[in-house]
Amino acid sequence: MVFSRHPVSAAMFMIVSLVGVAALFVLLESFFLAILQVLVYAGAVMVLFLFIIMLLDVGPEAGKGKLSHFKTGIFGLLATVLLVGVLLTLGNSYDSLALDQSIWPELSESKDGASHSLPFSTKVSSFGYGLMTKYMLPIQVSGFMLLAAMVGVIILSKKTPDREDLK
Amino acid sequence: MMLSVTPQHFLILSFLLVGIGFLGLLIRRNVLLMLMSLELMLNGINVALLTFSRVGSNLDGGIFVFFIMTVAAAEVAVGLALLVALYKKRNSVLSDDMGLLKN
């Protein structure tokens, strides 16, 4: 996705990778988050991206300046080295950990969700229970954050004819 | 166990996603594509969080994934609105043309 110059094709590859991440969530047995991933990311965020791409009518990136390209090349090389190092480290620690076959714990679908430690569950109701008890304050804060983002976006995109006076 | 996929695979993929997102953030000059790379990095973090949540049998990681999705959606909305406002002023979405304080 990052190597395609045209924004529309980059967005299409991005949708593919987001749906792939949703499939990984299914593999991790959290179906609610997979549904949420498809709805929020592939449904809302990428539609917004494509809308803005087509609104602004951005084409592929043209030829680049010499110096900035050199700099970004160096930083890209640095990022690649970091990535390969991390992969090698994980790959070396792979053998010792992979032998433990009970590394995916069994899910215990107990009826009582009243324990305080919020065990992992595939049910949506346990999500709701956790959000309404332990994470009561964060969900309200995130609600206010969404409200603030909405108001901010409306103000940002509003036409202000007297903005020239402010300058 | 029926699963031969270990948490290491998920973690390697999560590091890959974050690394590719970081690489894209560095090599792209279009601000739209930079925002998309940020989304990719957040997705990688989500995969790691959910893997640890599943391995540790604790739902807190899943709930944090939920919150990160919320924050990412709000961030995209605000970022795109800022980008449109900037485009109206500058007629460009390239990050090279946004060095207002440079000259």
Side-chain angles (χ1 to χ4, degrees):
Chain A
M1 165 224 149
V2 298
F3 295 114
S4 56
R5 285 186 178 279
H6 204 283
V8 177
S9 53
M12 291 300 165
F13 287 133
M14 184 82 191
I15 289 174
V16 172
S17 75
L18 289 178
V19 173
V21 169
L24 284 179
F25 285 177
V26 171
L27 212 59
L28 286 169
E29 292 180 86
S30 64
F31 308 112
F32 175 58
L33 281 175
I35 292 170
L36 217 61
Q37 170 94 2
V38 172
L39 279 182
V40 171
Y41 274 109
V45 169
M46 293 319 289
V47 167
L48 203 63
F49 264 114
L50 281 173
F51 181 73
I52 297 298
I53 286 170
M54 292 173 185
L55 178 72
L56 298 186
D57 196 18
V58 285
E61 289 181 7
K64 41 190 111 32
K66 281 285 188 289
L67 184 62
S68 71
H69 185 53
F70 181 65
K71 262 193 257 175
T72 53
I74 285 180
F75 278 115
L77 204 67
L78 212 66
T80 312
V81 166
L82 191 71
L83 187 62
V84 169
V86 163
L87 282 184
L88 284 181
T89 313
L90 277 179
N92 284 340
S93 66
Y94 176 77
D95 291 334
S96 58
L97 287 171
L99 295 176
D100 189 8
Q101 287 299 306
S102 67
I103 204 157
W104 297 106
E106 290 287 342
L107 292 183
S108 61
E109 296 286 349
S110 58
K111 281 297 177 189
D112 53 334
S115 68
H116 195 65
S117 66
L118 287 177
F120 191 89
S121 162
T122 61
K123 287 184 297 188
V124 186
S125 62
S126 56
F127 260 95
Y129 180 78
L131 285 176
M132 285 298 134
T133 52
K134 194 175 177 183
Y135 291 94
M136 193 65 194
L137 183 64
I139 197 170
Q140 295 201 7
V141 168
S142 66
F144 272 110
M145 191 200 62
L146 281 177
L147 177 70
M150 192 173 69
V151 173
V153 167
I154 289 172
I155 289 176
L156 268 176
S157 56
K158 204 172 62 176
K159 263 205 169 62
T160 51
D162 54 343
R163 187 174 282 176
E164 308 304 319
D165 305 337
L166 292 175
K167 262 171 53 175
Chain B
M1 287 288 285
M2 56 171 184
L3 287 174
S4 61
V5 184
T6 58
Q8 271 77 29
H9 292 108
F10 283 94
L11 289 182
I12 287 172
L13 187 108
S14 146
F15 273 111
L16 263 177
L17 278 178
V18 175
I20 290 172
F22 190 57
L23 191 65
L25 196 66
L26 290 174
I27 68 172
R28 291 290 92 175
R29 292 184 308 146
N30 196 334
V31 179
L32 270 165
L33 295 180
M34 289 163 83
L35 276 174
M36 262 191 244
S37 305
L38 273 181
E39 292 299 308
L40 204 65
M41 289 172 77
L42 284 173
N43 259 293
I45 291 167
N46 278 350
V47 172
L49 265 178
L50 204 56
T51 308
F52 282 124
S53 162
R54 176 73 176 84
V55 170
S57 263
N58 202 336
L59 199 61
D60 292 346
I63 290 176
F64 264 92
V65 170
F66 180 81
F67 283 123
I68 288 176
M69 275 185 191
T70 313
V71 171
E75 173 236 328
V76 164
V78 175
L80 286 179
L82 277 174
L83 188 63
V84 171
L86 207 61
Y87 184 78
K88 279 185 200 160
K89 253 186 166 18
R90 294 282 168 102
N91 256 322
S92 163
V93 287
L94 299 183
S95 60
D96 293 344
D97 302 330
M98 292 181 184
L100 185 62
L101 293 176
K102 207 170 177 181
N103 302 317

